[in-house]
Amino acid sequence: MKKTYISFSILIFSFLVNPLFAQSKIVFDSLVHDFGDIKEEDGDAEAIFDFTNQGNKPLQLKSVKASCGCTTPNWSTEDIAVNGKGYVQVSYSTKNRPGPFTKTISVRTNGNPQVLVLTIKGNVIPRPKGPKDWYPHEIGNLRFKTTHILFGNILNTQKDTVSTVIYNQGIAPVKLKFDEVKVPDYIKVWGTKDKLSINDTATVYISYDASMKDDYGYLFEYFQLPTSDLESPKKRINISAHIKEDFSSLAEDGSTPTVEFDKKVQQLGEMKALDKKSVAFTISNKGTSELILRKVKASCGCTATKPQKTTLAPGESTKLDVTFTAGNYNRQVKKSITIITNDPKKPESTLYIEADVKSTEGN
């Protein structure tokens, strides 16, 4: 009986001293931090979660990950000794995030528990809005509601007008020189006033006459608005429009062109950097009236395109010659070609060329 007691004691002792049973244990002072009400204008809100290693081996934080990009953690990266202390610091970005929030931070350790979750919560009181919010684009001493005038889809028979607002945030009046704006005939620019006092606003109108443009597809251009502002006197305004054909007046007999392509993708295979390769797409008119190729445009200057004919009678076909010049890539490359026609069902089509470009660097 005495022999059995000694063996049992030895077993218990071995269990306690065996390093296989040593384990770190993370214990946080608190798993939740409530910021309460915080002001957006005060900037990032920070909280620190302190913890202790109550195990019997050093503690390591394997990873600390926040549930979203608005929360940034920082933490003790060194090993935490037995009974030692560490921290997880959490920063929450309040900018443009008004209202209540609850975010979590997952902490992974080498001990017990292996994973636990910290939580921060609170309520962001929005900051008062001002000119920087209403007119977010800054050029010199003037702020703009937008500097990119979007006309969106517009028919080639239409005219449209879009506006933006200018605000003078400077310490001196600024003259807007509309009479010196240089734009093509299809664009007109004017404003509600030609002089901005301090903290004053003016509305600028831009009209776009697509019937005078004589073009199709997505178009981008810009103009300069001269001013008396000593800082950046010329203000750049961008304009974009997508001109589509007006098919409201189709042929009375119902005849229409129908565009068809022999393929939508051409494989160029393997190419060396800076090499050139040429292929051709076949374009056919399967309709009952004349097909017109209004526009052929490649997505980049590295691709040259030229149709052999731009007008096809019913049943007629033509070749679209495409030459691709590979840049100094080292990857799969895909380029697009937009075809605009007078086919009312498919006025815009996209073709592609693909190549596997091998860089010459290092050879």
Side-chain angles (χ1 to χ4, degrees):
M1 187 70 177
K2 186 176 181 180
K3 182 178 180 181
T4 303
Y5 174 79
I6 293 173
S7 300
F8 182 74
S9 300
I10 293 172
L11 179 64
I12 294 297
F13 179 77
S14 299
F15 177 84
L16 292 174
V17 300
N18 192 333
L20 292 175
F21 298 99
Q23 190 175 43
S24 59
K25 182 178 181 181
I26 187 169
V27 178
F28 278 92
D29 294 350
S30 175
L31 296 177
V32 179
H33 181 87
D34 189 348
F35 288 105
D37 288 338
I38 51 179
K39 295 181 179 180
E40 181 184 354
E41 62 263 33
D42 288 344
D44 293 352
E46 294 186 350
I48 295 179
F49 293 87
D50 293 313
F51 64 83
T52 304
N53 178 11
Q54 295 185 4
N56 55 10
K57 69 173 288 188
L59 170 70
Q60 297 175 358
L61 300 190
K62 296 292 189 180
S63 67
V64 179
K65 294 183 180 180
S67 58
C68 76
C70 59
T71 305
T72 305
N74 187 20
W75 61 92
S76 300
T77 55
E78 71 282 359
D79 288 0
I80 308 300
V82 175
N83 296 322
K85 292 185 177 294
Y87 70 92
V88 173
Q89 181 180 6
V90 180
S91 177
Y92 177 73
S93 176
T94 61
K95 186 177 181 180
N96 298 323
R97 293 186 175 92
F101 67 90
T102 299
K103 303 297 177 183
T104 58
I105 304 94
S106 298
V107 180
R108 185 177 295 274
T109 79
N110 68 330
N112 178 33
Q114 288 188 339
V115 179
L116 51 78
V117 176
L118 307 175
T119 302
I120 59 172
K121 60 183 180 178
N123 179 53
V124 178
I125 300 173
R127 62 180 173 81
K129 300 297 183 182
K132 289 185 178 180
D133 302 287
W134 306 324
Y135 318 108
H137 304 276
E138 181 181 45
I139 308 178
N141 288 303
L142 299 185
R143 304 192 72 90
F144 292 74
K145 184 176 182 180
T146 181
T147 55
H148 190 168
I149 305 301
L150 299 169
F151 286 94
N153 292 331
I154 182 171
L155 296 179
N156 65 328
T157 55
Q158 289 181 333
K159 178 180 179 180
D160 197 6
T161 300
V162 178
S163 66
T164 187
V165 178
I166 302 178
Y167 169 77
N168 181 10
Q169 67 176 359
I171 59 174
V174 175
K175 184 177 181 181
L176 306 177
K177 303 176 182 180
F178 292 107
D179 55 337
E180 297 182 17
V181 173
K182 296 179 180 179
V183 289
D185 291 342
Y186 54 86
I187 295 175
K188 304 294 181 186
V189 181
W190 71 97
T192 53
K193 59 183 72 172
D194 58 9
K195 187 176 182 180
L196 282 176
S197 302
I198 301 171
N199 299 326
D200 193 11
T201 61
T203 300
V204 178
Y205 295 94
I206 300 95
S207 70
Y208 192 97
D209 192 342
S211 65
M212 296 177 63
K213 175 63 176 172
D214 192 27
D215 204 346
Y216 298 88
Y218 177 79
L219 304 169
F220 177 87
E221 50 199 309
Y222 69 91
F223 67 88
Q224 303 280 5
L225 172 61
T227 72
S228 62
D229 186 5
L230 297 179
E231 186 178 341
S232 301
K234 290 186 177 181
K235 316 299 183 182
R236 172 168 166 158
I237 307 295
N238 300 313
I239 297 175
S240 63
H242 195 133
I243 300 180
K244 295 178 175 288
E245 186 164 353
D246 186 353
F247 291 107
S248 59
S249 301
L250 296 175
E252 293 183 0
D253 60 2
S255 61
T256 58
T258 301
V259 65
E260 187 175 283
F261 305 93
D262 64 332
K263 58 183 64 178
K264 289 296 187 74
V265 181
Q266 287 275 18
Q267 299 290 344
L268 300 180
E270 187 172 308
M271 295 179 65
K272 292 182 180 180
L274 307 180
D275 276 358
K276 289 185 179 181
K277 272 192 179 181
S278 297
V279 292
F281 293 88
T282 299
I283 305 175
S284 303
N285 180 9
K286 299 296 185 178
T288 54
S289 65
E290 185 178 74
L291 175 69
I292 302 173
L293 305 186
R294 300 284 193 197
K295 190 174 184 177
V296 179
K297 185 178 181 180
S299 59
C300 74
C302 59
T303 308
T305 58
K306 185 177 181 180
Q308 296 178 6
K309 295 187 66 174
T310 57
T311 302
L312 301 177
E316 191 176 7
S317 298
T318 190
K319 296 288 186 181
L320 172 64
D321 298 314
V322 178
T323 300
F324 173 66
T325 303
N328 196 21
Y329 302 109
N330 189 26
R331 58 179 174 84
Q332 291 282 341
V333 178
K334 186 175 185 178
K335 301 297 180 180
S336 63
I337 304 156
T338 301
I339 314 294
I340 300 177
T341 73
N342 65 331
D343 180 348
K345 293 184 178 180
K346 288 191 296 183
E348 292 190 28
S349 303
T350 304
L351 308 178
Y352 297 94
I353 55 172
E354 295 181 351
D356 183 11
V357 182
K358 302 296 186 182
S359 174
T360 58
E361 292 184 1
N363 292 343

